[in-house]
Amino acid sequence: MMRGGWGMRSVGRFGAGLAGSVLAAVAGVSGCQKPDVVRTGAEGSGIAIRYEAPTDTDRDDAAFLRRRKVVEEAASAISALVEVDRRVSVGVVSCGGEGSSYDPELTHVEVCYDEVSETRELFRRAGPGRADDDVAAVMLETLYHEMAHALVDVLELRVRGREEDVADQFAALMLLREGASGEQRLLAAADAWHLSEVANEDADDGPDEHSSDGRRAVNHRCYVYGAASGRHRGLVGADALPAERAKGCAKEWNAVRTWWTTALAPHLRAG
Ligand SMILES: [Zn+2]
């Protein structure tokens, strides 16, 4: 089960689980373990990150996420751009394969440790040579996607069309703002979506509010190409980005960037 969706919860590349576990995770804070919290705003606003103790099997993935500071990077990039005047919490947790998600009732993003090794495994099966940077890039794209749901919710952005696509587009926006390095990161995420599609060709996960993984891969490549066609002519081809689609990518990317820029305009930090 790689893809999925469950009610209002929105999940990423690795499937869906039960909303109740979010409540359990939050309730767990009051236990004997001191919560490990990083805040980007004052009390009651901004993004608060909490790492929960990983299960034994997630230990290496947890160490990787902490070392690479992927969650901190997403939170600080968003906080530098947008005034988030409500509290959004991000829990980095062991979630037993259920998939990263956003819970609007709790304004809580949950990021799963095991997506690190699942991503690594996707790349490993495709062949050697993928670096930790690519794994971190995929996790960052996931973070931005889930944070986009949080922003749509707490900033009350009006989304026309499918919010899942709009969330993917926010991930593209945040990465492509970085320029060439962000383009490589978004392409790594596109590759992971593609590999996920290939790995699950025969799986039937039932109805899903997301675009197919293969479509998500092509969308990201289209945005990269639309933003910087000169650097990415090699993307255009039957497999990665069909030529017919590529023709419209500059326009598509421009529309995506304009939508997000306009939606966030009242919430942008001064300067
Ligand atoms: Zn989503």
Side-chain angles (χ1 to χ4, degrees), residues 123-136:
F123 283 144
R124 192 195 62 76
R125 272 189 272 158
R130 303 302 297 235
D132 279 359
D133 285 352
D134 289 335
V135 176

Side-chain angles (χ1 to χ4, degrees), residues 10-11 145-146 149 164 210:
S10 128
V11 301
H145 174 102
E146 299 305 340
H149 288 301
E164 292 307 331
H210 300 82

